[in-house]
Amino acid sequence: AQTVTQSQPEMSVQEAETVTLSCTYDTSESDYYLFWYKQPPSRQMILVIRQEAYKQQNATENRFSVNFQKAAKSFSLKISDSQLGDAAMYFCAYRTDNSGNTPLVFGKGTRLSVIA
Amino acid sequence: DAMVIQNPRYQVTQFGKPVTLSCSQTLNHNVMYWYQQKSSQAPKLLFHYYDKDFNNEADTPDNFQSRRPNTSFCFLDIRSPGLGDAAMYLCATSRDPGQTQETQYFGPGTRLLVL
């Protein structure tokens, strides 16, 4: 079974600085998809960024980028120029690439605090 | 603009008293999911519908049931809530599970309190 591990329960960053959230996963599949979701306090979960395993290029969305290391099964999220609105719970998630109904597998999350 | 709507946002029920949580979507997505999320934990998938096909996770208790009367609506029924069922319940949708890169869109959640 696939597992997703986020080893940092909590992180903090100064406003305007850069922070990296770690995620590792375990799978025997070769094709899959990886996601980072953000869940602000009392607000709904939204997708931050996603990565297809077959793509070597790291995904980037504005201030958010990933460092995808397929051999190491690592998928870290880098947030540049951190803003107060980035404070949230961040979940790393995995989904296998096969037909049919395959659910997302979530990590336990990393709570990010942004210090003004 | 709301795409995935959950009502109510907060629900209080009594131990053993049946409760229903609702979810609706304006995205016309094929798939609807129900997750349970306890404090400081990752969301745990309970079940999902692909159109009318119901898919139950193996470890979802029988106490949890779901209905999807049409594309737009999906309900989570908890037949006899226990104290351990107090949690945030998240509804999510996606267009087509065959498109595995498809994003899941989450609703704001319903926080359930069991007294």
Side-chain angles (χ1 to χ4, degrees):
Chain A
Q2 295 86 7
T3 58
V4 177
T5 302
Q6 294 178 248
S7 59
Q8 307 151 315
E10 295 183 358
M11 292 278 288
S12 62
V13 62
Q14 289 284 142
E15 199 175 4
E17 296 295 311
T18 295
V19 65
T20 298
L21 309 184
S22 301
C23 174
T24 59
Y25 56 94
D26 187 23
T27 184
S28 58
E29 303 285 338
S30 58
D31 292 322
Y32 47 86
Y33 297 85
L34 296 163
F35 306 83
W36 277 99
Y37 279 89
K38 170 185 177 182
Q39 188 178 38
S42 302
R43 296 182 64 184
Q44 67 196 85
M45 192 177 303
I46 58 172
L47 179 71
V48 175
I49 198 166
R50 67 185 181 200
Q51 173 83 40
E52 293 88 339
Y54 63 85
K55 288 187 177 178
Q56 293 186 342
Q57 187 172 8
N58 289 324
T60 299
E61 288 287 344
N62 300 315
R63 297 183 295 108
F64 298 87
S65 61
V66 299
N67 183 7
F68 174 50
Q69 302 289 328
K70 190 172 184 179
K73 297 180 182 175
S74 171
F75 182 61
S76 60
L77 173 69
K78 184 171 83 171
I79 306 174
S80 304
D81 185 25
S82 297
Q83 301 174 359
L84 295 178
D86 295 333
M89 196 75 166
Y90 286 81
F91 291 99
C92 178
Y94 165 101
R95 187 172 189 182
T96 192
D97 180 15
N98 60 13
S99 60
N101 306 319
T102 55
L104 283 172
V105 178
F106 285 93
K108 291 187 175 182
T110 296
R111 185 174 303 280
L112 178 67
S113 301
V114 181
I115 304 165
Chain B
D1 290 323
M3 296 185 291
V4 182
I5 304 158
Q6 290 188 246
N7 286 305
R9 295 291 307 277
Y10 298 90
Q11 176 74 56
V12 181
T13 191
Q14 291 179 330
F15 183 93
K17 183 176 181 180
V19 65
T20 295
L21 310 182
S22 72
C23 177
S24 62
Q25 52 131 339
T26 59
L27 298 162
N28 202 33
H29 282 175
N30 297 106
V31 193
M32 296 187 77
Y33 307 81
W34 277 106
Y35 290 87
Q36 179 192 66
Q37 185 181 24
K38 296 191 175 180
S39 181
S40 300
Q41 295 186 21
K44 177 181 178 298
L45 183 66
L46 296 173
F47 27 58
H48 70 278
Y49 274 94
Y50 178 22
D51 291 332
K52 294 185 178 180
D53 292 334
F54 178 70
N55 298 270
N56 197 34
E57 293 301 297
D59 57 354
T60 297
D62 293 339
N63 196 28
F64 292 86
Q65 303 287 321
S66 186
R67 297 170 283 134
R68 189 179 186 186
N70 53 52
T71 300
S72 300
F73 285 86
C74 194
F75 299 99
L76 169 62
D77 300 309
I78 308 176
R79 293 193 294 188
S80 182
L83 298 179
D85 296 329
M88 176 74 86
Y89 289 88
L90 301 173
C91 176
T93 72
S94 66
R95 187 167 56 190
D96 185 340
Q99 302 291 327
T100 51
Q101 72 276 26
E102 276 293 315
T103 299
Q104 287 189 20
Y105 295 86
F106 284 82
T110 294
R111 186 168 295 282
L112 179 68
L113 180 63
V114 181
L115 300 178

